[in-house]
């Protein structure tokens, strides 16, 4: 481990919570070099919705690589890209009646966000983008300006601008009607809010603490966008690809965003890839106006297309995810009940779930206790107050129950810990 | 091809110059679906310095994948990452006496740049970053602000700030002493230039038109940086990994940048990966202050480490690259001479070479004519006036000569073309 | 009038509502070149609180000028400046227990605001300034960024940044507890609001439509500022110098701002002058860090000092203003009642009063009808929906009643007008 | 003097160099309270081109005030404004063949600059404004962004943007052809300079150190502006109103700026006033799009109109200024020669002259020595290295010679001083 300490920048982070060296992974399990297994309720922060090294994806990937098929093709046409696009059209867009065009903006989620923001500004000729409290959209300068976290924002070293923050659903605990503030600003020519190009929103805020927007709120937001000619950008990087049940997390609300950003599980295998989906009539890009070296990651096209065929040809995954989500929710509620309503509460949708611990530092301790018991899970929220569960969608019920038992133990241990800072 | 037109955004670009569908690739050749081979003098814009699907890298990659070794690990520790770091330390840093720490800032070059800019601003507490005419550093908002190209900049949709542009080497044709303008501004408290955090520079500007900074100019720049406490950031994304001969493009000048950005060929196999190298004493990051999902692309660690072992254990690749660079240069000079000094000139270093065609649109025509003759090469420069050669470093002399013959033919054809717009 | 049309820029504005040429003025009356008198309920937008050409101020001013006393002295010391400062200390600051230092930031209100914003940013090392919906602070770039009006903001031609808009008192009609939104943002490190340097607020928003902040709201705001180490800047440019009763408009609320901006009536005679008042411990300016040519307008010092002696040696003006304010309020309420509560309502404090007409364009028509009947009054509010009364504080009760009768007539005529756009 | 120290902000500046209290002033003399006269070679930083309290201007001003003519009228029409506009048209614009419209942007020079910048951005739809090294345009946020001085810029507390600095005439000592850098950037679509809205320039930089732009350079600049559709804004706030000889300082160069800013001596009496002159076809303001309380300072209209009649009805003042400028120049050259060319040099045009002292701090000492000998003069330049002479244009030859003798003495004393910091 000395090599990491000597050579890797101090910016490294997860390794500080999990001070072991991982080397193997299968399905919902990950192993350290000593062979110790960890049940993974973290899943690459949502990048491994189909589990680690899914055998059918692996098989396709290896076949592809062995045949000397093209790996890197920038944004030239390739057979793998065509297959990806065709499968995306048939499996995802067509059945949902969505008429999006697909941009490959670069390999990272922030590339998808940066492209979405640029396009919205270009299309509308406006500059301000509305984001929401505790939203998270990435670390590049444009994406960071619509991200809430003050530590991350401070890292920019320059003021972040062209954005305005608005309250996410339930942010003010029902003390204010939805969108009252946003609508007041938009309606009032003296409000000081310059006409926004777009709104960028997550339907469930993962980094922000598993804050769930209700379907009603999302529909209300879409309405405001339509009324004021703002594009609605749904950032589905963490919550897309089935995390909340359906392929797109916004399907449950019955809305149709103007732009959708995707990444994380879109390749299905943990390989870097991102998409920006754009309503056909909004595709006003000039050729090459946004570019990047890794826009054509063919291995990711291969696993991504196969993942769509495997998991999204029918609604079985969606149904299973919803059922497993219920299972997790029941367990978490039991844990929260045991801890007491002053101490704990539960949030989430589908297989994105959070256990909120009110006591300062308690969720951090819970995560550490869980790690020691062989369960990986992350904390999130502005004060890291939420134990965040993002197990692979392919995790079995038995594995889920096993993990939730560990979680219950860890929670009890966390509540007994003398101090939490 | 209808699928691309129907489903892919209008932003797509290279596919417009090369309207075929590629499917296989080996070494310096790439094949379209009809089986037609193309000699590739483009090499993924510098991402494939070791050629397409190098057999030894492939073999390591497939072994890794087949063993269910971990693919995606964010910034947790993994065996593959340790091997990459150790190999990087032993093969690259140690022999060159460089004491850098390594940041994995995300999978794209722009992530490396954004991290470098943030760190420079944090370390110095200043905001302005000096960039150079025709510099290119990426499409995210921070990187775009230090990029010269007006079309790309315009895509931002917001003003780009916290940067100031300075003349690159030879920009004003020797009519001005080097750094006269920059030094005047820095020395003069009334100049209007706020004290800069850093300078970001490419030693050879690839996108900018294969503009080569002399060793003397680079040393002069380092001197100015030292005098005025500005960090020197070398963006080695396109010119690093041996493109100009040595592993780092700045070695020839004998300078030691404070921060180095790398990407493209660092994985050796065209898989997305990027590094930000930071002088040990400048590593003032807080844990997690810059993050991202795809910071731990283990397959890229595997091929990247193997590439270092294969190609950088001794200086043979460097010497071969320099020799091949001379070969290319001789041929290009012959072509230029044939076209006449009014029409054509030659630029470059190592295996980054450019044939500059003065006539408007001529380089674009040359590129098209080359494509028709089975040779892929890109244009660059602000008016796309430079035919840009970035063949894989592993291209054989015979392949180089074959390609250069095609190029000569294409150049002749381009000069005969009735119009060039 | 042809000369104006030929030579004066299209930006001219009031002259379009009052298409006559004024030449004389005394007390509450102003006369056009034909000798027609107009009762002035506008008072130079609050610059003429002591009426036009007050005889005692005039006498002092003329004596000063006739004696060849110094007129222009930049920020050198002058006898007139000393007298101004001493009188300000004795008459204004001392009796109110205020320990402010006085900056002469330039002749215009926006200079006072720009200086206040700079100082707050310097003192705190932060950049964001909180402003309020429908706030108005001036037309220079820094002041404009904290101003709400979208037409004025649009005039900047560049994005306005480093500011965030918050709801003014009663902005959301009591549907939200005071400061819930602001406090939520400040408390939550994931809110996206960067820690603010300061809050800038008017106690009564003049340009914004005579929106009155309650004493309770202002005290609440001061509390939030103290809790979060933000400076509280009260912009008293329009509402200071007795407009709402006491010398400073914030006295009624019992708060002590960190910084106060003053202008308009501070010279007492309509001569350009502005002040920035700074709590002693916040006076961290370096000499000359903010400067300007017209910081030492000695004639304004002379009339300003004399105005303080005449009007602020005791509380008689304050009491009279409050009484006259009640008189105006009673009349306006009667008018509003006559028009019906659907159509009209009343707002204000002291002698800053507004009659709000709901029907689109009605207030504009009222103003025009009033002008035709010999009464000058302005409209304000984001849609110019408020007839705004700012009579000189020295206006007699008889004059007030005369003007309010005209106003009642004009209001009736306005309601009968067929269209209002 | 205790009152100033107790009550005036630390930002005060000139009073620190001249620690006396002034009270009277006539022509080129100013007196402190002890009756000591000072010959004034400072003239309110160029605000008193016609001397202190010019008797004919005074007489008009007093008559105006005594008649209860209107003092403050915002931007309503007034008789005084009409007379000012008519006189400006007949005396200044007409004879010079200039077709400008006049904007009254507020009382301070920075208001004129802010209005000019806004208009240029509105008219062109672009954001960047080119300014020059050591340019000075004011302390408000927009004006400060085009000002060079780093101490002043630092006072902003936020990054200053939407501007780019270029070398003023002779900035790089003839080592670079004029405009090579600017033209290179404008011609090159990859330069990183976004298309500028305008250029703002002083023909002689007063605060910057009496740096004189040659006529040829100014014509070259106008040419560049025409070629690239940038507006040419001449900031004539300090150098206009005859300071360099002709009314406008740019007349000698034979150029016609698109926009001209004026202030300082435009009222002729040291009363705050400013103008923005706009070519007729560029007057695209909407009514009220830029406003301000003190746009209609009638006393300033009265003295300003009278000053034009007195001084600009023929070319006698221009000729006298040029002759006196020669006289000053001869004397300064003699002083510089005496000090030695290593130590001193001379710059200037008309009655804006500078004696540059190379030794650090020497000019500051000279200014202090001069003050002690009864002569007021300021320093300027980025290191305060220039003793700056701006005597009233009405200063007699005898007074000039008297002052220059004092200056010579003070210079000798300054060179003998042991240290200069």
């Amino acid at each position: 481990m000395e090599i990491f300490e000597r050579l890797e920048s101090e910016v490294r982070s997860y390794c500080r919570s999990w001070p072991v060296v991982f080397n193997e992974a299968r399905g919902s399990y990950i192993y350290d070099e000593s062979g110790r297994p960890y049940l993974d309720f973290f899943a690459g922060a949502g990048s491994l919705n189909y589990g680690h090294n899914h055998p059918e994806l692996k098989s396709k990937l290896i076949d592809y690589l062995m045949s000397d098929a093209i790996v890197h093709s920038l944004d030239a046409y390739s057979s793998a890209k065509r297959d990806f696009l065709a499968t995306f059209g048939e499996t995802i867009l067509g059945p949902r009646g969505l008429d999006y065009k697909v941009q490959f903006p670069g390999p990272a989620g922030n590339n998808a966000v940066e492209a979405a923001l640029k396009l919205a500004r270009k299309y509308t000729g406006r500059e301000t983008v509305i984001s929401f409290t505790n939203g998270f959209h990435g670390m590049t300068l444009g994406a960071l300006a619509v991200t809430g976290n003050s530590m991350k924002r401070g890292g920019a070293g320059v003021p972040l601008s062209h954005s305005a923050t608005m309250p996410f659903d339930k942010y003010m605990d029902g003390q204010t009607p939805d969108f009252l503030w946003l609508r007041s600003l938009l309606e009032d020519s003296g409000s000081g809010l310059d006409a926004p190009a777009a709104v960028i929103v997550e339907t469930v805020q993962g980094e922000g603490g598993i804050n769930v927007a209700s379907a009603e709120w999302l529909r209300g937001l879409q309405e405001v966008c339509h009324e004021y000619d703002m594009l609605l950008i749904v950032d589905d990087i963490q919550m897309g690809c089935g995390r909340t049940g359906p392929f797109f997390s916004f399907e449950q609300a019955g809305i149709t965003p103007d732009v959708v950003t995707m990444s994380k599980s879109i390749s299905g295998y943990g390989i870097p890839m991102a998409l920006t989906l754009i309503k056909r009539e909004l595709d006003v890009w000039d050729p090459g106006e946004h570019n990047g070296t890794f826009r054509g990651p063919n291995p990711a096209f291969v696993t991504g297309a196969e993942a769509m065929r495997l998991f999204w040809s029918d609604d079985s995954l969606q149904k299973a995810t919803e059922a497993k989500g219920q299972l997790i929710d029941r367990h978490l509620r039991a844990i929260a009940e045991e801890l007491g309503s002053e101490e704990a509460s539960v949030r989430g949708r589908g297989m994105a779930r959070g256990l909120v611990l009110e006591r300062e530092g308690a969720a951090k301790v819970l995560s550490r206790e869980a790690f020691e018991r062989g369960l990986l899970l992350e904390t999130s929220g502005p004060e890291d107050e939420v134990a965040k569960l993002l197990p692979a969608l392919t995790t079995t019920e038995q594995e889920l129950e096993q993990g939730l038992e560990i979680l219950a133990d860890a929670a009890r241990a966390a509540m007994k810990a003398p101090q939490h800072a």
Side-chain angles (χ1 to χ4, degrees), chain A:
Chain A
M1 228 169 290
E2 172 273 343
I3 284 171
F4 297 110
E5 278 158 25
R6 182 160 48 84
L7 282 177
E8 192 172 358
S9 164
E10 295 303 317
V11 81
R12 68 194 188 278
S13 171
Y14 285 111
C15 54
R16 297 173 192 268
S17 308
W18 305 325
V20 295
V21 180
F22 297 112
N23 66 347
E24 271 184 47
R26 251 174 245 101
S28 295
Y29 281 92
I30 183 168
Y31 303 85
D32 69 19
E33 288 184 328
S34 75
R36 187 180 175 196
Y38 298 84
L39 186 49
D40 183 2
F41 273 22
F42 170 57
S47 300
L48 296 161
N49 282 0
Y50 316 122
H52 290 273
N53 300 339
H54 190 283
E56 291 177 68
L57 303 182
K58 179 168 74 170
S59 158
K60 286 282 175 186
L61 174 60
I62 287 175
D63 288 354
Y64 187 80
L65 293 170
M66 290 196 69
S67 70
D68 279 342
I70 192 163
V71 166
H72 182 283
S73 55
L74 278 143
D75 73 349
Y77 295 149
S78 74
S79 311
K81 189 201 264 192
R82 187 178 47 207
D83 184 47
F84 178 87
L85 281 170
T87 311
F88 194 74
E90 286 158 29
T91 315
I92 306 298
L93 298 182
R96 289 164 182 79
L98 296 169
D99 191 19
Y100 288 130
K101 292 185 80 178
V102 179
Q103 177 178 7
F104 301 100
N110 50 52
N111 297 124
V113 170
E114 295 265 342
L117 299 178
K118 283 182 181 181
L119 185 76
R121 284 165 173 149
K122 178 174 186 181
Y123 182 80
T124 61
R126 304 172 184 172
E127 281 153 342
T128 302
V129 172
I130 300 288
S131 57
F132 291 93
T133 50
N134 291 297
F136 180 90
H137 303 286
M139 290 290 103
T140 51
L141 218 57
L144 200 48
V146 290
T147 288
N149 187 288
S150 63
M151 190 269 262
K152 309 283 188 207
R153 291 175 69 86
V158 292
L160 296 168
S161 46
H162 315 301
S163 56
T165 191
M166 290 289 141
F168 192 70
D169 190 17
K170 293 179 271 296
Y171 188 66
M172 296 196 287
D173 293 325
Q175 295 181 69
T176 303
D178 286 352
F179 307 113
L180 175 63
W181 174 229
L182 177 55
R183 279 186 175 282
S184 298
L185 291 174
L186 290 168
E187 263 157 42
D188 176 3
S189 71
S191 70
L193 178 72
D194 300 312
V199 157
I200 186 164
V201 70
E202 300 150 283
T203 63
V204 179
Q205 296 181 323
E207 299 305 302
I210 309 292
N211 306 311
V212 180
S214 69
E216 190 190 1
W217 188 85
L218 289 168
R219 282 193 295 270
L221 182 60
Q222 179 174 262
E223 234 177 85
V224 179
C225 287
H226 289 180
E227 272 177 61
Y228 291 94
D229 291 323
M230 308 182 293
L231 301 194
L232 175 59
I233 304 170
V234 169
D235 181 340
D236 230 13
I237 289 172
Q238 188 161 107
M239 293 300 149
C241 299
R243 173 54 56 190
T244 68
F247 184 80
F248 294 113
S249 73
F250 53 80
E251 294 178 40
Q252 291 149 319
I255 63 172
T256 308
D258 297 298
V259 179
V260 182
T261 58
M262 310 210 73
S263 182
K264 294 205 184 260
S265 280
I266 190 69
S267 79
Y269 206 75
I271 312 177
M273 178 173 170
L275 300 181
T276 304
L277 307 178
I278 304 163
K279 272 192 183 164
R280 184 166 298 277
E281 64 273 23
L282 307 179
D283 184 24
V284 295
W285 284 115
D286 285 322
E289 199 174 5
H290 179 94
N291 64 15
T293 294
F294 295 116
R295 279 167 296 166
N298 287 284
F301 292 152
V302 169
T303 52
E306 187 62 15
M308 287 187 277
R309 280 188 287 261
L310 270 178
F311 294 108
W312 297 103
S313 295
D314 61 28
D315 66 357
S316 54
L317 179 65
Q318 172 169 350
K319 286 190 171 156
T321 300
E322 285 163 358
K324 289 173 190 172
Q326 292 309 317
L327 182 157
I328 301 169
D329 189 51
R330 281 194 307 274
H331 281 260
L332 291 181
R333 285 188 191 283
I335 296 169
E337 204 168 316
E338 185 185 329
L339 301 182
S341 66
E342 300 286 286
E343 293 284 359
S345 57
V346 166
R347 295 204 280 250
R349 171 182 297 150
M351 289 177 77
R353 297 282 166 177
L355 177 66
V356 189
L357 297 186
E358 299 298 329
R359 214 181 287 177
E360 195 185 330
K364 280 295 218 189
V365 176
L366 182 153
S367 168
R368 196 171 61 230
E369 297 281 345
F371 171 72
E372 283 163 15
R373 287 163 175 80
L375 175 72
L376 300 187
L377 87 174
E378 190 183 21
T379 57
S380 74
E383 307 298 332
D384 274 320
E385 75 279 17
V386 183
K388 177 179 163 189
L389 289 77
L390 294 179
L393 309 183
T394 52
T395 310
T396 63
E397 292 202 1
Q398 197 184 338
E399 288 164 342
L400 287 174
E401 285 178 344
Q402 178 193 346
L404 287 157
E405 261 171 56
I406 298 177
L407 183 67
D409 276 359
R412 282 174 211 119
M415 300 312 288
K416 283 182 206 138
Q419 53 166 7
H420 296 99

